[in-house]
PDB file of all heavy atoms in Angstrom:
ATOM      1  N   LEU A   1     107.518  90.545  98.554  1.00 98.00           N
ATOM      2  CA  LEU A   1     106.822  90.789  99.813  1.00 98.00           C
ATOM      3  C   LEU A   1     105.709  89.761  99.976  1.00 98.00           C
ATOM      4  O   LEU A   1     104.824  89.659  99.130  1.00 98.00           O
ATOM      5  CB  LEU A   1     106.227  92.199  99.845  1.00 98.00           C
ATOM      6  CG  LEU A   1     105.397  92.556 101.085  1.00 98.00           C
ATOM      7  CD1 LEU A   1     106.289  92.675 102.320  1.00 98.00           C
ATOM      8  CD2 LEU A   1     104.621  93.863 100.860  1.00 98.00           C
ATOM      9  N   LEU A   2     105.765  88.996 101.033  1.00 98.00           N
ATOM     10  CA  LEU A   2     104.675  88.086 101.380  1.00 98.00           C
ATOM     11  C   LEU A   2     103.751  88.838 102.333  1.00 98.00           C
ATOM     12  O   LEU A   2     104.205  89.373 103.351  1.00 98.00           O
ATOM     13  CB  LEU A   2     105.222  86.821 102.044  1.00 98.00           C
ATOM     14  CG  LEU A   2     104.205  85.738 102.425  1.00 98.00           C
ATOM     15  CD1 LEU A   2     104.865  84.359 102.396  1.00 98.00           C
ATOM     16  CD2 LEU A   2     103.597  85.973 103.818  1.00 98.00           C
ATOM     17  N   VAL A   3     102.482  88.881 101.988  1.00 98.00           N
ATOM     18  CA  VAL A   3     101.502  89.563 102.833  1.00 98.00           C
ATOM     19  C   VAL A   3     100.622  88.522 103.504  1.00 98.00           C
ATOM     20  O   VAL A   3      99.896  87.772 102.827  1.00 98.00           O
ATOM     21  CB  VAL A   3     100.633  90.534 102.013  1.00 98.00           C
ATOM     22  CG1 VAL A   3      99.621  91.234 102.920  1.00 98.00           C
ATOM     23  CG2 VAL A   3     101.518  91.555 101.289  1.00 98.00           C
ATOM     24  N   TYR A   4     100.709  88.460 104.832  1.00 98.00           N
ATOM     25  CA  TYR A   4      99.839  87.580 105.625  1.00 98.00           C
ATOM     26  C   TYR A   4      98.789  88.462 106.290  1.00 98.00           C
ATOM     27  O   TYR A   4      99.120  89.358 107.080  1.00 98.00           O
ATOM     28  CB  TYR A   4     100.661  86.836 106.681  1.00 98.00           C
ATOM     29  CG  TYR A   4      99.811  86.050 107.661  1.00 98.00           C
ATOM     30  CD1 TYR A   4      99.431  84.740 107.385  1.00 98.00           C
ATOM     31  CD2 TYR A   4      99.382  86.626 108.867  1.00 98.00           C
ATOM     32  CE1 TYR A   4      98.642  84.025 108.281  1.00 98.00           C
ATOM     33  CE2 TYR A   4      98.590  85.923 109.756  1.00 98.00           C
ATOM     34  CZ  TYR A   4      98.226  84.623 109.461  1.00 98.00           C
ATOM     35  OH  TYR A   4      97.443  83.914 110.346  1.00 98.00           O
ATOM     36  N   ASP A   5      97.528  88.223 105.952  1.00 98.00           N
ATOM     37  CA  ASP A   5      96.449  89.066 106.456  1.00 98.00           C
ATOM     38  C   ASP A   5      95.369  88.185 107.072  1.00 98.00           C
ATOM     39  O   ASP A   5      94.507  87.649 106.370  1.00 98.00           O
ATOM     40  CB  ASP A   5      95.877  89.908 105.311  1.00 98.00           C
ATOM     41  CG  ASP A   5      94.903  90.966 105.802  1.00 98.00           C
ATOM     42  OD1 ASP A   5      94.469  90.901 106.972  1.00 98.00           O
ATOM     43  OD2 ASP A   5      94.562  91.872 105.013  1.00 98.00           O
ATOM     44  N   ASN A   6      95.476  87.987 108.395  1.00 97.00           N
ATOM     45  CA  ASN A   6      94.470  87.221 109.132  1.00 97.00           C
ATOM     46  C   ASN A   6      94.190  85.857 108.504  1.00 97.00           C
ATOM     47  O   ASN A   6      93.052  85.448 108.343  1.00 97.00           O
ATOM     48  CB  ASN A   6      93.167  88.022 109.232  1.00 97.00           C
ATOM     49  CG  ASN A   6      93.331  89.266 110.076  1.00 97.00           C
ATOM     50  OD1 ASN A   6      93.501  89.182 111.283  1.00 97.00           O
ATOM     51  ND2 ASN A   6      93.332  90.424 109.435  1.00 97.00           N
ATOM     52  N   GLY A   7      95.254  85.166 108.126  1.00 97.00           N
ATOM     53  CA  GLY A   7      95.116  83.808 107.614  1.00 97.00           C
ATOM     54  C   GLY A   7      95.273  83.670 106.113  1.00 97.00           C
ATOM     55  O   GLY A   7      95.566  82.587 105.617  1.00 97.00           O
ATOM     56  N   THR A   8      95.072  84.760 105.374  1.00 98.00           N
ATOM     57  CA  THR A   8      95.260  84.697 103.927  1.00 98.00           C
ATOM     58  C   THR A   8      96.691  85.112 103.568  1.00 98.00           C
ATOM     59  O   THR A   8      97.292  85.939 104.258  1.00 98.00           O
ATOM     60  CB  THR A   8      94.278  85.616 103.186  1.00 98.00           C
ATOM     61  OG1 THR A   8      94.559  86.982 103.533  1.00 98.00           O
ATOM     62  CG2 THR A   8      92.849  85.276 103.560  1.00 98.00           C
ATOM     63  N   ILE A   9      97.220  84.529 102.496  1.00 98.00           N
ATOM     64  CA  ILE A   9      98.587  84.803 102.059  1.00 98.00           C
ATOM     65  C   ILE A   9      98.566  85.210 100.601  1.00 98.00           C
ATOM     66  O   ILE A   9      97.927  84.556  99.768  1.00 98.00           O
ATOM     67  CB  ILE A   9      99.494  83.564 102.240  1.00 98.00           C
ATOM     68  CG1 ILE A   9      99.602  83.196 103.731  1.00 98.00           C
ATOM     69  CG2 ILE A   9     100.884  83.814 101.657  1.00 98.00           C
ATOM     70  CD1 ILE A   9     100.358  81.908 103.986  1.00 98.00           C
ATOM     71  N   GLU A  10      99.244  86.299 100.283  1.00 98.00           N
ATOM     72  CA  GLU A  10      99.411  86.696  98.895  1.00 98.00           C
ATOM     73  C   GLU A  10     100.822  87.227  98.682  1.00 98.00           C
ATOM     74  O   GLU A  10     101.521  87.576  99.630  1.00 98.00           O
ATOM     75  CB  GLU A  10      98.380  87.746  98.489  1.00 98.00           C
ATOM     76  CG  GLU A  10      98.502  89.083  99.212  1.00 98.00           C
ATOM     77  CD  GLU A  10      97.528  90.113  98.669  1.00 98.00           C
ATOM     78  OE1 GLU A  10      97.634  90.417  97.443  1.00 98.00           O
ATOM     79  OE2 GLU A  10      96.685  90.614  99.439  1.00 98.00           O
ATOM     80  N   GLU A  11     101.221  87.290  97.425  1.00 98.00           N
ATOM     81  CA  GLU A  11     102.572  87.737  97.079  1.00 98.00           C
ATOM     82  C   GLU A  11     102.513  89.100  96.419  1.00 98.00           C
ATOM     83  O   GLU A  11     101.633  89.385  95.613  1.00 98.00           O
ATOM     84  CB  GLU A  11     103.224  86.725  96.135  1.00 98.00           C
ATOM     85  CG  GLU A  11     104.658  87.046  95.773  1.00 98.00           C
ATOM     86  CD  GLU A  11     105.273  85.971  94.897  1.00 98.00           C
ATOM     87  OE1 GLU A  11     104.932  84.783  95.082  1.00 98.00           O
ATOM     88  OE2 GLU A  11     106.084  86.318  94.019  1.00 98.00           O
ATOM     89  N   SER A  12     103.460  89.961  96.785  1.00 98.00           N
ATOM     90  CA  SER A  12     103.522  91.301  96.217  1.00 98.00           C
ATOM     91  C   SER A  12     104.994  91.701  96.078  1.00 98.00           C
ATOM     92  O   SER A  12     105.877  90.858  96.171  1.00 98.00           O
ATOM     93  CB  SER A  12     102.754  92.286  97.114  1.00 98.00           C
ATOM     94  OG  SER A  12     102.707  93.582  96.547  1.00 98.00           O
ATOM     95  N   ARG A  13     105.239  92.990  95.866  1.00 98.00           N
ATOM     96  CA  ARG A  13     106.585  93.555  95.845  1.00 98.00           C
ATOM     97  C   ARG A  13     106.698  94.581  96.968  1.00 98.00           C
ATOM     98  O   ARG A  13     105.728  95.285  97.284  1.00 98.00           O
ATOM     99  CB  ARG A  13     106.875  94.237  94.502  1.00 98.00           C
ATOM    100  CG  ARG A  13     107.012  93.273  93.340  1.00 98.00           C
ATOM    101  CD  ARG A  13     108.358  92.582  93.361  1.00 98.00           C
ATOM    102  NE  ARG A  13     108.465  91.561  92.335  1.00 98.00           N
ATOM    103  CZ  ARG A  13     109.501  90.740  92.203  1.00 98.00           C
ATOM    104  NH1 ARG A  13     110.518  90.833  93.041  1.00 98.00           N
ATOM    105  NH2 ARG A  13     109.515  89.823  91.255  1.00 98.00           N
ATOM    106  N   PHE A  14     107.884  94.700  97.520  1.00 98.00           N
ATOM    107  CA  PHE A  14     108.020  95.604  98.664  1.00 98.00           C
ATOM    108  C   PHE A  14     107.689  97.042  98.281  1.00 98.00           C
ATOM    109  O   PHE A  14     107.144  97.794  99.108  1.00 98.00           O
ATOM    110  CB  PHE A  14     109.433  95.532  99.244  1.00 98.00           C
ATOM    111  CG  PHE A  14     109.497  96.087 100.637  1.00 98.00           C
ATOM    112  CD1 PHE A  14     109.207  95.298 101.736  1.00 98.00           C
ATOM    113  CD2 PHE A  14     109.802  97.428 100.849  1.00 98.00           C
ATOM    114  CE1 PHE A  14     109.222  95.823 103.020  1.00 98.00           C
ATOM    115  CE2 PHE A  14     109.828  97.956 102.129  1.00 98.00           C
ATOM    116  CZ  PHE A  14     109.538  97.149 103.214  1.00 98.00           C
ATOM    117  N   GLU A  15     107.987  97.433  97.065  1.00 98.00           N
ATOM    118  CA  GLU A  15     107.704  98.798  96.631  1.00 98.00           C
ATOM    119  C   GLU A  15     106.209  99.111  96.684  1.00 98.00           C
ATOM    120  O   GLU A  15     105.812 100.282  96.673  1.00 98.00           O
ATOM    121  CB  GLU A  15     108.234  99.021  95.215  1.00 98.00           C
ATOM    122  CG  GLU A  15     107.623  98.101  94.178  1.00 98.00           C
ATOM    123  CD  GLU A  15     108.341  98.174  92.841  1.00 98.00           C
ATOM    124  OE1 GLU A  15     109.161  99.102  92.655  1.00 98.00           O
ATOM    125  OE2 GLU A  15     108.084  97.305  91.981  1.00 98.00           O
ATOM    126  N   ASN A  16     105.363  98.064  96.776  1.00 98.00           N
ATOM    127  CA  ASN A  16     103.911  98.255  96.846  1.00 98.00           C
ATOM    128  C   ASN A  16     103.362  98.105  98.258  1.00 98.00           C
ATOM    129  O   ASN A  16     102.147  97.968  98.442  1.00 98.00           O
ATOM    130  CB  ASN A  16     103.219  97.240  95.934  1.00 98.00           C
ATOM    131  CG  ASN A  16     103.629  97.387  94.483  1.00 98.00           C
ATOM    132  OD1 ASN A  16     103.808  98.499  93.993  1.00 98.00           O
ATOM    133  ND2 ASN A  16     103.801  96.264  93.801  1.00 98.00           N
ATOM    134  N   ILE A  17     104.238  98.151  99.252  1.00 98.00           N
ATOM    135  CA  ILE A  17     103.793  97.841 100.620  1.00 98.00           C
ATOM    136  C   ILE A  17     102.709  98.799 101.110  1.00 98.00           C
ATOM    137  O   ILE A  17     101.834  98.411 101.890  1.00 98.00           O
ATOM    138  CB  ILE A  17     104.994  97.828 101.597  1.00 98.00           C
ATOM    139  CG1 ILE A  17     104.558  97.208 102.933  1.00 98.00           C
ATOM    140  CG2 ILE A  17     105.617  99.213 101.779  1.00 98.00           C
ATOM    141  CD1 ILE A  17     105.699  96.863 103.853  1.00 98.00           C
ATOM    142  N   ALA A  18     102.729 100.033 100.652  1.00 98.00           N
ATOM    143  CA  ALA A  18     101.730 101.009 101.110  1.00 98.00           C
ATOM    144  C   ALA A  18     100.307 100.549 100.818  1.00 98.00           C
ATOM    145  O   ALA A  18      99.382 100.814 101.597  1.00 98.00           O
ATOM    146  CB  ALA A  18     101.992 102.368 100.463  1.00 98.00           C
ATOM    147  N   SER A  19     100.123  99.845  99.702  1.00 98.00           N
ATOM    148  CA  SER A  19      98.777  99.397  99.328  1.00 98.00           C
ATOM    149  C   SER A  19      98.279  98.268 100.221  1.00 98.00           C
ATOM    150  O   SER A  19      97.098  97.929 100.182  1.00 98.00           O
ATOM    151  CB  SER A  19      98.769  98.942  97.866  1.00 98.00           C
ATOM    152  OG  SER A  19      99.613  97.822  97.676  1.00 98.00           O
ATOM    153  N   HIS A  20      99.150  97.701 101.032  1.00 98.00           N
ATOM    154  CA  HIS A  20      98.761  96.614 101.923  1.00 98.00           C
ATOM    155  C   HIS A  20      98.656  97.055 103.387  1.00 98.00           C
ATOM    156  O   HIS A  20      98.379  96.233 104.261  1.00 98.00           O
ATOM    157  CB  HIS A  20      99.768  95.461 101.818  1.00 98.00           C
ATOM    158  CG  HIS A  20      99.905  94.895 100.437  1.00 98.00           C
ATOM    159  ND1 HIS A  20      98.927  94.109  99.860  1.00 98.00           N
ATOM    160  CD2 HIS A  20     100.885  95.026  99.513  1.00 98.00           C
ATOM    161  CE1 HIS A  20      99.315  93.768  98.639  1.00 98.00           C
ATOM    162  NE2 HIS A  20     100.488  94.304  98.404  1.00 98.00           N
ATOM    163  N   LEU A  21      98.874  98.353 103.635  1.00 98.00           N
ATOM    164  CA  LEU A  21      98.798  98.876 104.996  1.00 98.00           C
ATOM    165  C   LEU A  21      97.548  99.730 105.173  1.00 98.00           C
ATOM    166  O   LEU A  21      97.076 100.345 104.218  1.00 98.00           O
ATOM    167  CB  LEU A  21     100.040  99.729 105.300  1.00 98.00           C
ATOM    168  CG  LEU A  21     101.357  98.975 105.485  1.00 98.00           C
ATOM    169  CD1 LEU A  21     102.532  99.953 105.537  1.00 98.00           C
ATOM    170  CD2 LEU A  21     101.321  98.132 106.754  1.00 98.00           C
ATOM    171  N   PRO A  22      97.022  99.782 106.394  1.00 96.00           N
ATOM    172  CA  PRO A  22      95.849 100.634 106.637  1.00 96.00           C
ATOM    173  C   PRO A  22      96.196 102.102 106.400  1.00 96.00           C
ATOM    174  O   PRO A  22      97.330 102.539 106.620  1.00 96.00           O
ATOM    175  CB  PRO A  22      95.533 100.376 108.120  1.00 96.00           C
ATOM    176  CG  PRO A  22      96.241  99.120 108.463  1.00 96.00           C
ATOM    177  CD  PRO A  22      97.445  99.046 107.596  1.00 96.00           C
ATOM    178  N   GLU A  23      95.231 102.854 105.969  1.00 94.00           N
ATOM    179  CA  GLU A  23      95.424 104.282 105.726  1.00 94.00           C
ATOM    180  C   GLU A  23      95.907 104.969 107.004  1.00 94.00           C
ATOM    181  O   GLU A  23      95.375 104.748 108.097  1.00 94.00           O
ATOM    182  CB  GLU A  23      94.101 104.901 105.269  1.00 94.00           C
ATOM    183  CG  GLU A  23      94.201 106.367 104.897  1.00 94.00           C
ATOM    184  CD  GLU A  23      92.884 106.914 104.383  1.00 94.00           C
ATOM    185  OE1 GLU A  23      92.003 106.105 104.006  1.00 94.00           O
ATOM    186  OE2 GLU A  23      92.740 108.158 104.365  1.00 94.00           O
ATOM    187  N   GLY A  24      96.933 105.800 106.867  1.00 95.00           N
ATOM    188  CA  GLY A  24      97.437 106.558 108.011  1.00 95.00           C
ATOM    189  C   GLY A  24      98.241 105.757 109.009  1.00 95.00           C
ATOM    190  O   GLY A  24      98.471 106.217 110.137  1.00 95.00           O
ATOM    191  N   ALA A  25      98.702 104.572 108.631  1.00 98.00           N
ATOM    192  CA  ALA A  25      99.492 103.754 109.557  1.00 98.00           C
ATOM    193  C   ALA A  25     100.788 104.470 109.941  1.00 98.00           C
ATOM    194  O   ALA A  25     101.334 105.265 109.173  1.00 98.00           O
ATOM    195  CB  ALA A  25      99.810 102.400 108.920  1.00 98.00           C
ATOM    196  N   MET A  26     101.269 104.187 111.151  1.00 98.00           N
ATOM    197  CA  MET A  26     102.499 104.778 111.663  1.00 98.00           C
ATOM    198  C   MET A  26     103.588 103.704 111.674  1.00 98.00           C
ATOM    199  O   MET A  26     103.492 102.718 112.406  1.00 98.00           O
ATOM    200  CB  MET A  26     102.274 105.307 113.086  1.00 98.00           C
ATOM    201  CG  MET A  26     103.524 105.783 113.805  1.00 98.00           C
ATOM    202  SD  MET A  26     104.198 107.307 113.130  1.00 98.00           S
ATOM    203  CE  MET A  26     102.973 108.498 113.676  1.00 98.00           C
ATOM    204  N   LEU A  27     104.616 103.878 110.850  1.00 98.00           N
ATOM    205  CA  LEU A  27     105.708 102.916 110.780  1.00 98.00           C
ATOM    206  C   LEU A  27     106.836 103.343 111.723  1.00 98.00           C
ATOM    207  O   LEU A  27     107.162 104.535 111.806  1.00 98.00           O
ATOM    208  CB  LEU A  27     106.257 102.801 109.352  1.00 98.00           C
ATOM    209  CG  LEU A  27     105.396 102.039 108.343  1.00 98.00           C
ATOM    210  CD1 LEU A  27     104.224 102.875 107.852  1.00 98.00           C
ATOM    211  CD2 LEU A  27     106.236 101.573 107.158  1.00 98.00           C
ATOM    212  N   VAL A  28     107.415 102.383 112.415  1.00 98.00           N
ATOM    213  CA  VAL A  28     108.484 102.676 113.378  1.00 98.00           C
ATOM    214  C   VAL A  28     109.769 101.995 112.927  1.00 98.00           C
ATOM    215  O   VAL A  28     109.839 100.768 112.834  1.00 98.00           O
ATOM    216  CB  VAL A  28     108.108 102.219 114.797  1.00 98.00           C
ATOM    217  CG1 VAL A  28     109.221 102.592 115.782  1.00 98.00           C
ATOM    218  CG2 VAL A  28     106.783 102.857 115.225  1.00 98.00           C
ATOM    219  N   PHE A  29     110.786 102.818 112.647  1.00 98.00           N
ATOM    220  CA  PHE A  29     112.093 102.335 112.223  1.00 98.00           C
ATOM    221  C   PHE A  29     113.035 102.195 113.419  1.00 98.00           C
ATOM    222  O   PHE A  29     112.916 102.941 114.407  1.00 98.00           O
ATOM    223  CB  PHE A  29     112.751 103.328 111.254  1.00 98.00           C
ATOM    224  CG  PHE A  29     112.099 103.439 109.912  1.00 98.00           C
ATOM    225  CD1 PHE A  29     112.023 104.666 109.267  1.00 98.00           C
ATOM    226  CD2 PHE A  29     111.580 102.327 109.274  1.00 98.00           C
ATOM    227  CE1 PHE A  29     111.455 104.790 108.012  1.00 98.00           C
ATOM    228  CE2 PHE A  29     110.997 102.431 108.012  1.00 98.00           C
ATOM    229  CZ  PHE A  29     110.938 103.668 107.383  1.00 98.00           C
ATOM    230  N   ASN A  30     113.980 101.291 113.309  1.00 98.00           N
ATOM    231  CA  ASN A  30     115.120 101.238 114.226  1.00 98.00           C
ATOM    232  C   ASN A  30     116.281 101.925 113.512  1.00 98.00           C
ATOM    233  O   ASN A  30     116.810 101.410 112.536  1.00 98.00           O
ATOM    234  CB  ASN A  30     115.481  99.791 114.560  1.00 98.00           C
ATOM    235  CG  ASN A  30     116.688  99.705 115.493  1.00 98.00           C
ATOM    236  OD1 ASN A  30     117.177 100.712 115.997  1.00 98.00           O
ATOM    237  ND2 ASN A  30     117.177  98.501 115.711  1.00 98.00           N
ATOM    238  N   ASN A  31     116.674 103.098 114.002  1.00 98.00           N
ATOM    239  CA  ASN A  31     117.664 103.906 113.294  1.00 98.00           C
ATOM    240  C   ASN A  31     119.106 103.615 113.704  1.00 98.00           C
ATOM    241  O   ASN A  31     119.999 104.444 113.493  1.00 98.00           O
ATOM    242  CB  ASN A  31     117.355 105.398 113.448  1.00 98.00           C
ATOM    243  CG  ASN A  31     117.356 105.849 114.904  1.00 98.00           C
ATOM    244  OD1 ASN A  31     117.901 105.170 115.775  1.00 98.00           O
ATOM    245  ND2 ASN A  31     116.749 106.988 115.171  1.00 98.00           N
ATOM    246  N   THR A  32     119.342 102.455 114.297  1.00 97.00           N
ATOM    247  CA  THR A  32     120.715 102.094 114.645  1.00 97.00           C
ATOM    248  C   THR A  32     121.570 101.941 113.392  1.00 97.00           C
ATOM    249  O   THR A  32     121.059 101.639 112.311  1.00 97.00           O
ATOM    250  CB  THR A  32     120.746 100.788 115.457  1.00 97.00           C
ATOM    251  OG1 THR A  32     122.074 100.559 115.945  1.00 97.00           O
ATOM    252  CG2 THR A  32     120.322  99.596 114.618  1.00 97.00           C
ATOM    253  N   ARG A  33     122.858 102.154 113.557  1.00 97.00           N
ATOM    254  CA  ARG A  33     123.802 102.028 112.448  1.00 97.00           C
ATOM    255  C   ARG A  33     124.804 100.925 112.768  1.00 97.00           C
ATOM    256  O   ARG A  33     125.316 100.841 113.890  1.00 97.00           O
ATOM    257  CB  ARG A  33     124.531 103.354 112.217  1.00 97.00           C
ATOM    258  CG  ARG A  33     125.444 103.351 111.000  1.00 97.00           C
ATOM    259  CD  ARG A  33     125.981 104.747 110.704  1.00 97.00           C
ATOM    260  NE  ARG A  33     126.810 104.737 109.503  1.00 97.00           N
ATOM    261  CZ  ARG A  33     126.333 104.790 108.275  1.00 97.00           C
ATOM    262  NH1 ARG A  33     125.029 104.890 108.074  1.00 97.00           N
ATOM    263  NH2 ARG A  33     127.145 104.747 107.236  1.00 97.00           N
ATOM    264  N   VAL A  34     125.082 100.070 111.791  1.00 97.00           N
ATOM    265  CA  VAL A  34     126.028  98.975 111.990  1.00 97.00           C
ATOM    266  C   VAL A  34     127.449  99.534 112.046  1.00 97.00           C
ATOM    267  O   VAL A  34     127.861 100.328 111.199  1.00 97.00           O
ATOM    268  CB  VAL A  34     125.916  97.935 110.866  1.00 97.00           C
ATOM    269  CG1 VAL A  34     126.895  96.784 111.104  1.00 97.00           C
ATOM    270  CG2 VAL A  34     124.490  97.400 110.776  1.00 97.00           C
ATOM    271  N   VAL A  35     128.171  99.102 113.057  1.00 95.00           N
ATOM    272  CA  VAL A  35     129.551  99.535 113.260  1.00 95.00           C
ATOM    273  C   VAL A  35     130.498  98.608 112.500  1.00 95.00           C
ATOM    274  O   VAL A  35     130.252  97.403 112.392  1.00 95.00           O
ATOM    275  CB  VAL A  35     129.898  99.493 114.767  1.00 95.00           C
ATOM    276  CG1 VAL A  35     131.320  99.961 115.002  1.00 95.00           C
ATOM    277  CG2 VAL A  35     128.913 100.326 115.556  1.00 95.00           C
ATOM    278  N   ARG A  36     131.579  99.153 112.004  1.00 95.00           N
ATOM    279  CA  ARG A  36     132.636  98.313 111.397  1.00 95.00           C
ATOM    280  C   ARG A  36     133.387  97.635 112.539  1.00 95.00           C
ATOM    281  O   ARG A  36     134.524  97.990 112.870  1.00 95.00           O
ATOM    282  CB  ARG A  36     133.572  99.162 110.550  1.00 95.00           C
ATOM    283  CG  ARG A  36     132.898  99.798 109.343  1.00 95.00           C
ATOM    284  CD  ARG A  36     133.917 100.613 108.554  1.00 95.00           C
ATOM    285  NE  ARG A  36     133.314 101.251 107.412  1.00 95.00           N
ATOM    286  CZ  ARG A  36     133.730 101.092 106.157  1.00 95.00           C
ATOM    287  NH1 ARG A  36     134.751 100.305 105.888  1.00 95.00           N
ATOM    288  NH2 ARG A  36     133.137 101.724 105.166  1.00 95.00           N
ATOM    289  N   ALA A  37     132.731  96.652 113.121  1.00 93.00           N
ATOM    290  CA  ALA A  37     133.153  96.132 114.429  1.00 93.00           C
ATOM    291  C   ALA A  37     134.209  95.039 114.368  1.00 93.00           C
ATOM    292  O   ALA A  37     134.727  94.625 115.399  1.00 93.00           O
ATOM    293  CB  ALA A  37     131.922  95.602 115.178  1.00 93.00           C
TER     294      ALA A  37
END
């Protein structure tokens, strides 16, 4: 996980993403499903 925060860049792991988000943030997923098209 690359974290860009107002000009600064640091490296992390995606499993730690919560520690890089503001407390109580609301995440929005796209729940579409890929079709065997």
Side-chain angles (χ1 to χ4, degrees):
L1 177 69
L2 182 152
V3 180
Y4 172 88
D5 189 347
N6 294 291
T8 65
I9 297 174
E10 65 175 300
E11 183 177 326
S12 184
R13 290 283 175 185
F14 198 86
E15 60 190 348
N16 300 322
I17 192 167
S19 63
H20 301 287
L21 288 170
E23 184 177 343
M26 172 70 71
L27 286 77
V28 182
F29 291 143
N30 179 7
N31 60 18
T32 188
R33 185 172 182 82
V34 181
V35 181
R36 296 181 181 236

